[in-house]
Amino acid sequence: MRKTLFITLGAIVLIGAIIAWLVFGPATSFTEKRYFLNIKTGSGYSTVLKQIETEKIISSTAIFNFLAKRIDYPQKIKAGHYEIKKGMSVFSILRMLKNGKQSPVNLVITKLRTKEDFAGLVGRKFECDSLAFISFLNNQDSLKKYGLDTNTIMTAVLPNTYTYYWNITPAKVFTKIFDSYANFWTSERKQKAGQKGLDPQKATILASIVEEETNKNDEKGNIASVYMNRMAKGMRLGADPTVKFALKDFSLKRIYNKHLAVESPYNTYRVYGLPPGPICTPSEVTIDAVLDAPKTDYMFFVAKSDFSGHHNFAATYEEHLKYAKEYQLALDKWMEKKAAKDSLETN
């Protein structure tokens, strides 16, 4: 009798240990250090269960299903982006999902050129797709509250890292970015812009051109001064990067006369003044370089013939032609050498 009792108690203990192991022991089946489960807004329990099974997140969906129903998870589905670490238990996973403890998502913005680029980045990161986001960016009614329009909307997008939850709405994505933009434009910066005949939007548009012209921080102020001097004299800006933007061809290495003929408000070889919006998202460093641009008599600049990435600046067209000829000769020689090398490699 006693032996039977011990056997029964042993079996109960063993079964309890197995159940405890299944519930509280490691349950993940993926090999990576972590796996991110995205539960879409409006998902029902059956959808979540099938997703867990299809994506092979845990070793036993039966145990997951059994425990989920015991803690009323099917009635408390919360959308979100959840980080499941390798070795987590079914209990830990379900507790996280039931409490909606999702992991934040970083939106890292570097240099973007178009609204479509922006929408694509957001669509790859969050639940809202790129179509929903571009629709927001192109909706004049949505943008009125920010004092922006469909052309100037990208002036508010400063390169930075912004943190959100995965199931955020397009409006909330942009609002946080706009708040950062508003904080950047301090009264001191606005005053500097005003002294140069600019406002935050115009300064950012000009900075976007400078950003595309050079990555040399020590030259950005001088390049900005060239464009401001041209505007002051009623000249067209004649900025090559604006032509690339107008053509939506950012792979162009050289701008020819055929490119200059494009009809676009962004083609500063044909229209006067700044384009209606930025041609990229300039860095804060570049915007400050515009605001702190020195007063110069420079009207032209051209890349140096040593291909260092630096530029020669000139106050007169004659001086500019001299520098331009030096660069063109150096470029022609480089292209000849490259062509000869390519020819040898293919033979």
Side-chain angles (χ1 to χ4, degrees):
M1 181 71 179
R2 185 178 293 178
K3 183 177 181 182
T4 302
L5 180 61
F6 280 136
I7 292 173
T8 302
L9 287 174
I12 291 172
V13 171
L14 179 60
I15 292 171
I18 292 173
I19 292 173
W21 175 259
L22 292 173
V23 172
F24 299 103
T28 55
S29 60
F30 50 85
T31 57
E32 299 81 6
K33 290 184 178 180
R34 60 184 58 84
Y35 187 91
F36 289 100
L37 171 66
N38 294 327
I39 299 177
K40 294 183 177 180
T41 300
S43 293
Y45 177 65
S46 60
T47 301
V48 175
L49 188 62
K50 183 176 181 181
Q51 189 175 352
I52 287 172
E53 183 177 12
T54 302
E55 297 178 22
K56 295 181 172 56
I57 296 172
I58 61 175
S59 53
S60 175
T61 53
I63 297 297
F64 180 92
N65 184 42
F66 175 82
L67 186 59
K69 290 178 178 178
R70 297 300 178 278
I71 64 171
D72 296 326
Y73 175 62
Q75 289 75 42
K76 298 179 180 179
I77 305 295
K78 292 182 174 69
H81 175 75
Y82 298 97
E83 179 186 6
I84 300 175
K85 296 178 181 177
K86 184 178 180 180
M88 283 182 73
S89 67
V90 173
F91 178 79
S92 297
I93 294 170
L94 272 167
R95 184 174 58 181
M96 176 180 65
L97 298 180
K98 183 180 177 181
N99 293 334
K101 290 185 177 180
Q102 57 174 306
S103 298
V105 178
N106 287 332
L107 178 66
V108 181
I109 296 178
T110 51
K111 183 166 75 172
L112 300 171
R113 290 191 172 95
T114 66
K115 288 182 289 186
E116 290 74 20
D117 291 340
F118 188 19
L121 177 63
V122 170
R124 290 189 294 274
K125 282 285 186 177
F126 302 105
E127 181 180 20
C128 60
D129 61 23
S130 58
L131 290 177
F133 197 71
I134 198 70
S135 177
F136 172 83
L137 297 178
N138 285 328
N139 189 323
Q140 294 285 18
D141 292 334
S142 299
L143 307 183
K144 281 181 182 177
K145 64 179 289 188
Y146 305 104
L148 301 167
D149 59 35
T150 55
N151 285 315
T152 58
I153 182 70
M154 293 297 286
T155 60
V157 183
L158 295 176
N160 209 332
T161 298
Y162 304 88
T163 304
Y164 306 91
Y165 285 120
W166 176 76
N167 52 326
I168 198 167
T169 63
K172 288 183 178 179
V173 170
F174 185 75
T175 295
K176 176 174 279 194
I177 291 171
F178 182 81
D179 288 344
S180 178
Y181 158 83
N183 290 332
F184 172 79
W185 279 102
T186 60
S187 56
E188 181 184 0
R189 285 192 172 98
K190 289 179 181 177
Q191 184 178 18
K192 286 182 178 180
Q195 290 170 350
K196 294 186 181 302
L198 304 170
D199 58 26
Q201 292 176 14
K202 290 179 180 177
T204 304
I205 292 170
L206 177 54
S208 74
I209 298 174
V210 175
E211 185 82 31
E212 290 285 74
E213 290 283 14
T214 185
N215 58 9
K216 306 295 184 184
N217 289 335
D218 59 339
E219 289 193 348
K220 289 178 178 178
N222 283 338
I223 289 176
S225 76
V226 168
Y227 289 127
M228 285 189 277
N229 288 341
R230 289 181 184 179
M231 285 192 288
K233 290 184 177 293
M235 295 172 59
R236 296 184 182 91
L237 295 185
D240 287 358
T242 66
V243 178
K244 295 180 184 180
F245 186 90
L247 292 166
K248 293 295 187 291
D249 186 351
F250 304 105
S251 64
L252 288 173
K253 300 298 182 184
R254 299 175 74 174
I255 302 297
Y256 296 99
N257 287 332
K258 64 179 181 180
H259 299 132
L260 303 182
V262 60
E263 291 281 353
S264 169
Y266 286 87
N267 181 0
T268 57
Y269 276 89
R270 295 180 67 88
V271 299
Y272 288 89
L274 292 166
I279 61 171
C280 73
T281 51
S283 66
E284 294 181 4
V285 170
T286 306
I287 296 174
D288 281 334
V290 169
L291 300 180
D292 295 327
K295 287 187 177 180
T296 72
D297 57 357
Y298 297 141
M299 298 299 294
F300 308 95
F301 65 93
V302 66
K304 286 188 174 181
S305 58
D306 59 2
F307 302 113
S308 62
H310 287 90
H311 296 80
N312 284 313
F313 294 85
T316 66
Y317 189 59
E318 289 73 23
E319 186 181 14
H320 170 66
L321 285 179
K322 183 189 75 171
Y323 292 137
K325 186 175 181 180
E326 290 175 0
Y327 175 73
Q328 188 60 55
L329 288 172
L331 184 61
D332 288 342
K333 287 181 180 179
W334 179 85
M335 292 184 71
E336 287 176 6
K337 288 181 179 179
K338 185 177 184 303
K341 181 180 178 182
D342 291 345
S343 178
L344 288 173
E345 290 177 351
T346 54
N347 292 332

